[in-house]
Amino acid sequence: QVQLVESGGGLVQAGGSLRLSCTVSTRTFSSASMAWFRQAPGKEREFVVGIAWNGYMTDYPDSVKGRFTISRDNAENTLYLQMNFLKAEDTAIYYCAILDDLGSRRGVYWGQGTQVTISS
């Protein structure tokens, strides 16, 4: 059974940083396309950024470009999202997912989410 467990969320002040982690229990992590999504209160879940097995990344949306960085450690079966210069509008539940493929941006397996709250 595939499991994804996010961690690293919390409450920080605007301008601060957080590093989210997603540990994945699957032998095929090193070949999987992964992504981070987020869902803000009252809004639909949105795709933030994806990364292929070889490190190729999708574009970042303008809302996070230059502030967020996705990375992965295939040896540790872990996906990361470094978030800097956080803003109130980054407040959301952040989910990691294994994608069907990077182009589809469709999540096949999901974590339970980690809450990120930014105080202004």
Side-chain angles (χ1 to χ4, degrees), residues 48 55 57 105:
V48 177
M57 292 175 281
R105 301 186 176 186

Side-chain angles (χ1 to χ4, degrees), residues 58-112:
T58 62
D59 290 336
Y60 295 84
D62 289 343
S63 58
V64 306
K65 191 175 294 183
R67 300 188 299 118
F68 287 14
T69 304
I70 190 172
S71 62
R72 64 190 296 163
D73 184 336
N74 287 341
E76 297 294 330
N77 274 27
T78 303
L79 178 73
Y80 300 101
L81 184 67
Q82 178 68 44
M83 306 186 296
N84 299 325
F85 305 107
L86 285 160
K87 304 176 180 180
E89 50 264 42
D90 294 320
T91 294
I93 300 174
Y94 285 71
Y95 300 89
C96 65
I98 296 175
L99 299 179
D100 185 6
D101 62 71
L102 202 61
S104 74
R105 301 186 176 186
R106 186 174 70 89
V108 178
Y109 297 98
W110 295 86
Q112 81 289 349

Side-chain angles (χ1 to χ4, degrees), residues 28-29 31-35 50-53 72 97-103:
T28 60
F29 176 83
S31 63
S33 291
M34 302 292 301
I51 185 169
W53 64 274
R72 64 190 296 163
I98 296 175
L99 299 179
D100 185 6
D101 62 71
L102 202 61

